Amino acid sequence: MTTSPALETPVGPGAPNAGVPRSTGTPASGPASRRRALPLALVTVLAALAPLSWGTTYLVTTDFLPAGHPLFAGLARALPAGLVALALGRALPHGVWWFRAAVLGLLNIGFFFPLLFISAAHLPGGVAATLGAAQPLLVAFLAVAVLQEKLVFWRLAWAVVGAVGVGFVVLGRSAGLDAVGVLAGLAGTASMGLGVVLTKKWGRPAGVRPLAMTGWQLTAGGLFLLPLTLLVEGLPADVGPRALGGYLWLGLVGGLLAYALWFWAIGKLPVTRASLLGFLSPLMAAGLGVLVKGETFGPLQVVGLILAFGAMLLGQLGGWRLRR
Protein backbone atom coordinates (compact mmCIF):
# COMPACT_ATOMS: atom_id res chain seq x y z
CA MET A 1 0.00 0.00 0.00
CA THR A 2 1.31 3.44 -0.90
CA THR A 3 0.61 6.18 1.58
CA SER A 4 0.37 9.89 1.16
CA PRO A 5 3.32 11.95 2.37
CA ALA A 6 0.86 14.12 4.26
CA LEU A 7 -1.02 11.22 5.84
CA GLU A 8 0.64 7.87 6.33
CA THR A 9 -2.04 5.28 7.06
CA PRO A 10 -1.04 2.84 9.82
CA VAL A 11 -1.27 -0.86 9.11
CA GLY A 12 -3.94 -2.49 11.25
CA PRO A 13 -4.11 -5.85 13.01
CA GLY A 14 -4.05 -9.03 11.02
CA ALA A 15 -3.31 -8.77 7.32
CA PRO A 16 -1.28 -5.69 6.42
CA ASN A 17 -4.21 -3.75 4.96
CA ALA A 18 -7.14 -5.54 6.55
CA GLY A 19 -9.88 -3.21 7.63
CA VAL A 20 -7.83 -0.06 7.13
CA PRO A 21 -9.66 2.72 5.29
CA ARG A 22 -7.67 4.61 2.73
CA SER A 23 -7.17 8.33 2.88
CA THR A 24 -8.76 10.20 0.02
CA GLY A 25 -7.40 13.64 0.74
CA THR A 26 -5.82 15.91 3.27
CA PRO A 27 -6.82 15.71 6.92
CA ALA A 28 -10.10 17.35 7.73
CA SER A 29 -10.11 20.56 9.69
CA GLY A 30 -12.43 21.77 12.39
CA PRO A 31 -13.54 20.51 15.80
CA ALA A 32 -13.99 16.88 14.75
CA SER A 33 -10.41 16.73 13.47
CA ARG A 34 -9.09 18.30 16.65
CA ARG A 35 -10.98 15.73 18.74
CA ARG A 36 -9.35 12.96 16.72
CA ALA A 37 -5.93 14.53 17.22
CA LEU A 38 -5.92 13.93 20.97
CA PRO A 39 -5.93 10.11 20.91
CA LEU A 40 -3.01 9.97 18.50
CA ALA A 41 -1.10 12.51 20.56
CA LEU A 42 -1.73 10.36 23.63
CA VAL A 43 -0.54 7.25 21.76
CA THR A 44 2.65 9.10 20.84
CA VAL A 45 3.28 10.15 24.44
CA LEU A 46 2.76 6.60 25.71
CA ALA A 47 4.99 5.22 22.95
CA ALA A 48 7.71 7.67 24.00
CA LEU A 49 7.88 6.01 27.43
CA ALA A 50 9.44 2.93 25.81
CA PRO A 51 12.62 4.56 24.39
CA LEU A 52 12.91 6.65 27.55
CA SER A 53 13.07 3.47 29.62
CA TRP A 54 15.51 1.87 27.15
CA GLY A 55 17.79 4.86 27.64
CA THR A 56 18.38 3.71 31.23
CA THR A 57 19.88 0.43 29.99
CA TYR A 58 23.38 1.84 29.58
CA LEU A 59 23.64 3.22 33.12
CA VAL A 60 22.10 0.08 34.64
CA THR A 61 24.46 -2.17 32.65
CA THR A 62 27.65 -0.38 33.66
CA ASP A 63 26.73 0.52 37.25
CA PHE A 64 24.48 -2.32 38.45
CA LEU A 65 25.07 -5.54 36.50
CA PRO A 66 28.01 -7.95 36.82
CA ALA A 67 30.53 -7.42 34.00
CA GLY A 68 31.12 -9.97 31.27
CA HIS A 69 27.61 -11.43 31.04
CA PRO A 70 25.74 -9.71 28.18
CA LEU A 71 23.94 -12.92 27.16
CA PHE A 72 22.69 -13.51 30.69
CA ALA A 73 21.59 -9.88 30.92
CA GLY A 74 19.53 -10.33 27.75
CA LEU A 75 18.11 -13.62 29.03
CA ALA A 76 17.19 -12.14 32.43
CA ARG A 77 15.52 -9.21 30.72
CA ALA A 78 13.53 -11.31 28.27
CA LEU A 79 12.43 -14.72 29.54
CA PRO A 80 10.91 -13.95 32.98
CA ALA A 81 9.04 -10.93 31.59
CA GLY A 82 7.90 -13.00 28.62
CA LEU A 83 6.47 -15.73 30.83
CA VAL A 84 4.64 -13.15 32.94
CA ALA A 85 3.18 -11.58 29.77
CA LEU A 86 2.10 -15.00 28.49
CA ALA A 87 0.31 -15.72 31.75
CA LEU A 88 -1.43 -12.35 31.75
CA GLY A 89 -2.20 -12.34 28.02
CA ARG A 90 -3.61 -15.89 28.06
CA ALA A 91 -3.14 -16.49 24.34
CA LEU A 92 -0.70 -18.59 22.34
CA PRO A 93 0.25 -18.16 18.67
CA HIS A 94 -1.61 -20.20 16.09
CA GLY A 95 -0.98 -21.09 12.48
CA VAL A 96 1.52 -18.83 10.73
CA TRP A 97 1.91 -16.81 13.90
CA TRP A 98 4.22 -19.45 15.43
CA PHE A 99 6.71 -18.57 12.68
CA ARG A 100 6.07 -14.82 12.84
CA ALA A 101 6.37 -14.70 16.63
CA ALA A 102 9.67 -16.57 16.42
CA VAL A 103 11.06 -14.20 13.76
CA LEU A 104 9.95 -11.08 15.63
CA GLY A 105 11.21 -12.52 18.91
CA LEU A 106 14.66 -13.08 17.42
CA LEU A 107 14.90 -9.66 15.75
CA ASN A 108 13.41 -7.52 18.53
CA ILE A 109 14.66 -9.52 21.51
CA GLY A 110 16.92 -12.54 20.93
CA PHE A 111 19.44 -10.78 18.70
CA PHE A 112 18.90 -7.21 19.88
CA PHE A 113 19.24 -7.67 23.65
CA PRO A 114 22.69 -9.28 23.79
CA LEU A 115 24.02 -6.96 21.07
CA LEU A 116 22.74 -4.01 23.09
CA PHE A 117 24.46 -5.21 26.26
CA ILE A 118 27.70 -5.98 24.41
CA SER A 119 27.68 -2.47 22.97
CA ALA A 120 26.90 -0.94 26.37
CA ALA A 121 29.75 -2.90 27.98
CA HIS A 122 32.36 -1.89 25.36
CA LEU A 123 31.41 1.76 24.83
CA PRO A 124 30.52 4.76 26.96
CA GLY A 125 26.76 4.90 27.39
CA GLY A 126 26.29 7.95 25.21
CA VAL A 127 28.38 6.51 22.39
CA ALA A 128 26.55 3.19 22.50
CA ALA A 129 23.19 4.96 22.48
CA THR A 130 24.21 7.16 19.56
CA LEU A 131 24.49 4.12 17.30
CA GLY A 132 20.78 3.56 17.84
CA ALA A 133 20.07 7.02 16.44
CA ALA A 134 20.62 5.52 12.97
CA GLN A 135 17.47 3.41 13.36
CA PRO A 136 14.97 6.03 12.06
CA LEU A 137 17.00 6.30 8.84
CA LEU A 138 17.07 2.53 8.43
CA VAL A 139 13.36 2.20 9.21
CA ALA A 140 12.48 4.92 6.68
CA PHE A 141 14.08 2.94 3.84
CA LEU A 142 12.85 -0.44 5.08
CA ALA A 143 9.31 0.95 5.18
CA VAL A 144 9.62 1.70 1.46
CA ALA A 145 10.94 -1.78 0.64
CA VAL A 146 8.75 -3.85 2.98
CA LEU A 147 5.60 -1.78 3.54
CA GLN A 148 5.55 -0.05 0.14
CA GLU A 149 5.24 3.29 1.92
CA LYS A 150 6.16 6.39 0.00
CA LEU A 151 9.42 7.91 1.24
CA VAL A 152 8.54 11.10 3.10
CA PHE A 153 11.60 13.21 2.42
CA TRP A 154 10.93 15.90 5.00
CA ARG A 155 10.57 13.24 7.71
CA LEU A 156 13.78 11.61 6.46
CA ALA A 157 15.47 15.00 6.72
CA TRP A 158 14.35 15.30 10.34
CA ALA A 159 15.79 11.84 10.99
CA VAL A 160 19.16 13.04 9.71
CA VAL A 161 18.95 16.26 11.77
CA GLY A 162 18.00 14.27 14.87
CA ALA A 163 20.88 11.82 14.42
CA VAL A 164 23.31 14.71 14.07
CA GLY A 165 21.84 16.36 17.16
CA VAL A 166 22.17 13.17 19.18
CA GLY A 167 25.75 12.91 18.06
CA PHE A 168 26.43 16.45 19.31
CA VAL A 169 24.84 15.65 22.66
CA VAL A 170 26.62 12.43 23.52
CA LEU A 171 29.83 12.42 21.53
CA GLY A 172 32.64 14.48 23.01
CA ARG A 173 36.39 14.48 22.80
CA SER A 174 36.47 11.95 25.64
CA ALA A 175 34.23 9.48 23.85
CA GLY A 176 36.04 6.23 23.23
CA LEU A 177 35.42 3.89 20.33
CA ASP A 178 35.79 0.13 20.41
CA ALA A 179 35.35 -1.99 17.27
CA VAL A 180 33.41 -4.75 19.03
CA GLY A 181 31.09 -2.25 20.68
CA VAL A 182 30.48 -0.31 17.47
CA LEU A 183 29.75 -3.44 15.41
CA ALA A 184 27.45 -4.81 18.11
CA GLY A 185 25.60 -1.50 18.35
CA LEU A 186 25.09 -1.22 14.59
CA ALA A 187 24.01 -4.87 14.29
CA GLY A 188 21.53 -4.41 17.13
CA THR A 189 20.14 -1.29 15.50
CA ALA A 190 19.67 -3.12 12.20
CA SER A 191 18.03 -6.11 13.93
CA MET A 192 15.46 -4.07 15.79
CA GLY A 193 14.88 -1.76 12.82
CA LEU A 194 13.85 -4.74 10.70
CA GLY A 195 11.83 -6.11 13.61
CA VAL A 196 9.90 -2.85 13.95
CA VAL A 197 9.03 -2.81 10.25
CA LEU A 198 7.92 -6.46 10.24
CA THR A 199 5.89 -5.85 13.38
CA LYS A 200 4.10 -3.11 11.49
CA LYS A 201 3.67 -5.25 8.37
CA TRP A 202 2.21 -8.26 10.14
CA GLY A 203 0.18 -6.41 12.76
CA ARG A 204 -1.28 -8.88 15.24
CA PRO A 205 -4.02 -11.53 15.05
CA ALA A 206 -7.60 -10.47 15.62
CA GLY A 207 -8.57 -10.72 19.27
CA VAL A 208 -4.98 -10.93 20.54
CA ARG A 209 -3.98 -8.18 22.94
CA PRO A 210 -0.62 -6.37 22.65
CA LEU A 211 0.43 -7.84 26.01
CA ALA A 212 0.04 -11.38 24.68
CA MET A 213 2.04 -10.60 21.55
CA THR A 214 4.71 -8.99 23.71
CA GLY A 215 4.85 -12.23 25.67
CA TRP A 216 5.31 -14.25 22.48
CA GLN A 217 8.30 -12.19 21.43
CA LEU A 218 9.97 -11.92 24.83
CA THR A 219 9.56 -15.65 25.41
CA ALA A 220 10.80 -16.59 21.92
CA GLY A 221 13.84 -14.34 22.35
CA GLY A 222 14.46 -15.66 25.86
CA LEU A 223 14.25 -19.30 24.79
CA PHE A 224 16.77 -18.57 22.03
CA LEU A 225 19.14 -17.00 24.56
CA LEU A 226 18.75 -19.69 27.24
CA PRO A 227 20.95 -22.47 25.73
CA LEU A 228 23.32 -19.90 24.22
CA THR A 229 23.85 -18.31 27.62
CA LEU A 230 24.45 -21.61 29.39
CA LEU A 231 26.90 -22.81 26.74
CA VAL A 232 28.87 -19.59 26.20
CA GLU A 233 28.75 -17.66 29.48
CA GLY A 234 27.21 -19.66 32.24
CA LEU A 235 25.56 -17.93 35.19
CA PRO A 236 27.18 -14.96 36.95
CA ALA A 237 28.45 -15.77 40.44
CA ASP A 238 28.02 -12.34 41.97
CA VAL A 239 24.35 -11.43 41.63
CA GLY A 240 23.81 -9.31 44.73
CA PRO A 241 20.87 -7.07 45.67
CA ARG A 242 22.17 -4.27 43.43
CA ALA A 243 22.42 -6.50 40.37
CA LEU A 244 19.07 -8.12 41.15
CA GLY A 245 17.47 -4.68 41.24
CA GLY A 246 19.05 -3.88 37.88
CA TYR A 247 17.73 -7.08 36.31
CA LEU A 248 14.25 -6.45 37.71
CA TRP A 249 14.22 -2.91 36.33
CA LEU A 250 15.36 -4.02 32.89
CA GLY A 251 12.95 -6.97 32.81
CA LEU A 252 9.78 -5.40 34.20
CA VAL A 253 10.09 -1.76 33.12
CA GLY A 254 12.51 -1.86 30.17
CA GLY A 255 11.16 -5.22 28.99
CA LEU A 256 7.55 -6.08 29.84
CA LEU A 257 6.05 -2.60 30.23
CA ALA A 258 8.12 -0.83 27.56
CA TYR A 259 7.64 -3.45 24.86
CA ALA A 260 3.93 -3.83 25.54
CA LEU A 261 3.53 -0.08 25.03
CA TRP A 262 5.82 -0.08 22.01
CA PHE A 263 4.14 -2.93 20.12
CA TRP A 264 0.72 -1.47 20.89
CA ALA A 265 1.77 1.94 19.62
CA ILE A 266 3.40 0.60 16.44
CA GLY A 267 -0.02 -0.74 15.41
CA LYS A 268 -1.43 2.78 15.57
CA LEU A 269 1.43 5.08 14.49
CA PRO A 270 3.12 5.34 11.09
CA VAL A 271 6.31 3.34 11.47
CA THR A 272 8.71 6.12 10.44
CA ARG A 273 7.10 8.54 12.86
CA ALA A 274 7.32 5.99 15.67
CA SER A 275 10.99 5.31 14.96
CA LEU A 276 11.82 9.01 15.42
CA LEU A 277 10.86 8.60 19.07
CA GLY A 278 13.98 6.45 19.37
CA PHE A 279 16.01 9.65 19.71
CA LEU A 280 14.73 9.79 23.28
CA SER A 281 16.83 6.76 24.23
CA PRO A 282 20.30 8.30 23.72
CA LEU A 283 19.08 11.61 25.09
CA MET A 284 17.93 9.82 28.25
CA ALA A 285 21.30 8.08 28.47
CA ALA A 286 23.09 11.41 28.19
CA GLY A 287 20.76 13.06 30.68
CA LEU A 288 21.39 10.32 33.25
CA GLY A 289 25.09 10.91 32.77
CA VAL A 290 24.56 14.52 33.81
CA LEU A 291 22.22 13.76 36.73
CA VAL A 292 23.89 10.64 38.13
CA LYS A 293 27.54 10.87 37.12
CA GLY A 294 28.03 14.61 37.25
CA GLU A 295 28.77 15.04 33.55
CA THR A 296 28.24 18.50 32.06
CA PHE A 297 26.78 19.86 28.84
CA GLY A 298 28.86 22.33 26.83
CA PRO A 299 27.54 24.66 24.11
CA LEU A 300 27.80 21.93 21.44
CA GLN A 301 25.73 19.53 23.56
CA VAL A 302 23.06 22.19 24.12
CA VAL A 303 22.82 22.76 20.35
CA GLY A 304 22.58 19.02 19.81
CA LEU A 305 19.85 18.72 22.42
CA ILE A 306 17.79 21.38 20.65
CA LEU A 307 18.33 19.72 17.26
CA ALA A 308 17.43 16.23 18.48
CA PHE A 309 14.30 17.27 20.38
CA GLY A 310 13.23 19.60 17.59
CA ALA A 311 13.67 16.89 14.95
CA MET A 312 11.74 14.37 17.02
CA LEU A 313 8.85 16.78 17.64
CA LEU A 314 8.66 18.16 14.10
CA GLY A 315 8.88 14.63 12.71
CA GLN A 316 5.57 13.88 14.44
CA LEU A 317 3.68 16.53 12.50
CA GLY A 318 1.38 15.78 9.61
CA GLY A 319 -1.68 13.56 9.43
CA TRP A 320 -2.72 13.71 13.08
CA ARG A 321 -5.65 11.35 12.69
CA LEU A 322 -5.93 8.04 14.45
CA ARG A 323 -7.35 5.31 12.26
CA ARG A 324 -9.91 3.07 13.94
Side-chain angles (χ1 to χ4, degrees):
M1 178 180 68
T2 301
T3 59
S4 166
L7 177 60
E8 300 162 314
T9 303
V11 180
N17 300 319
V20 180
R22 294 179 179 268
S23 170
T24 56
T26 57
S29 59
S33 177
R34 287 193 293 272
R35 284 196 298 270
R36 286 194 296 269
L38 180 60
L40 185 55
L42 180 59
V43 170
T44 303
V45 170
L46 292 174
L49 297 177
L52 283 172
S53 72
W54 296 334
T56 67
T57 300
Y58 309 96
L59 177 68
V60 172
T61 299
T62 56
D63 288 18
F64 287 79
L65 304 187
H69 290 83
L71 292 177
F72 180 80
L75 172 65
R77 186 179 188 180
L79 190 54
L83 294 175
V84 170
L86 282 181
L88 295 176
R90 294 184 295 179
L92 292 176
H94 58 273
V96 71
W97 276 99
W98 284 104
F99 168 76
R100 290 179 176 179
V103 171
L104 295 177
L106 288 177
L107 292 173
N108 289 323
I109 309 297
F111 295 156
F112 175 67
F113 277 9
L115 290 169
L116 173 67
F117 286 112
I118 290 171
S119 179
H122 283 78
L123 297 171
V127 180
T130 302
L131 298 175
Q135 189 178 112
L137 297 172
L138 175 64
V139 167
F141 289 105
L142 285 175
V144 174
V146 178
L147 302 178
Q148 288 78 54
E149 287 189 1
K150 183 177 291 185
L151 189 63
V152 184
F153 288 102
W154 63 267
R155 189 161 284 144
L156 182 64
W158 286 127
V160 173
V161 171
V164 171
V166 168
F168 285 171
V169 171
V170 300
L171 291 178
R173 286 175 294 180
S174 61
L177 296 178
D178 175 274
V180 173
V182 170
L183 290 175
L186 292 175
T189 296
S191 179
M192 191 172 181
L194 179 57
V196 165
V197 173
L198 289 179
T199 299
K200 184 69 174 181
K201 177 178 177 64
W202 290 336
R204 67 178 188 271
V208 174
R209 294 183 293 174
L211 183 62
M213 191 168 174
T214 301
W216 300 352
Q217 297 188 45
L218 287 169
T219 302
L223 291 176
F224 166 76
L225 288 172
L226 179 59
L228 194 61
T229 300
L230 295 177
L231 290 173
V232 175
E233 283 183 1
L235 303 179
D238 53 347
V239 179
R242 186 177 178 86
L244 181 60
Y247 288 128
L248 287 174
W249 171 266
L250 293 176
L252 296 179
V253 178
L256 179 60
L257 178 60
Y259 276 93
L261 281 173
W262 186 246
F263 294 140
W264 166 76
I266 286 176
K268 299 179 179 296
L269 295 173
V271 65
T272 307
R273 177 185 290 169
S275 69
L276 287 170
L277 296 173
F279 290 140
L280 291 172
S281 181
L283 293 178
M284 171 63 85
L288 288 175
V290 173
L291 295 175
V292 178
K293 296 191 172 185
E295 299 173 359
T296 58
F297 276 176
L300 185 62
Q301 284 73 35
V302 173
V303 171
L305 189 67
I306 295 172
L307 287 175
F309 267 120
M312 183 199 67
L313 292 175
L314 292 172
Q316 305 304 313
L317 300 179
W320 279 85
R321 295 195 293 174
L322 181 61
R323 294 296 182 184
R324 297 181 181 272

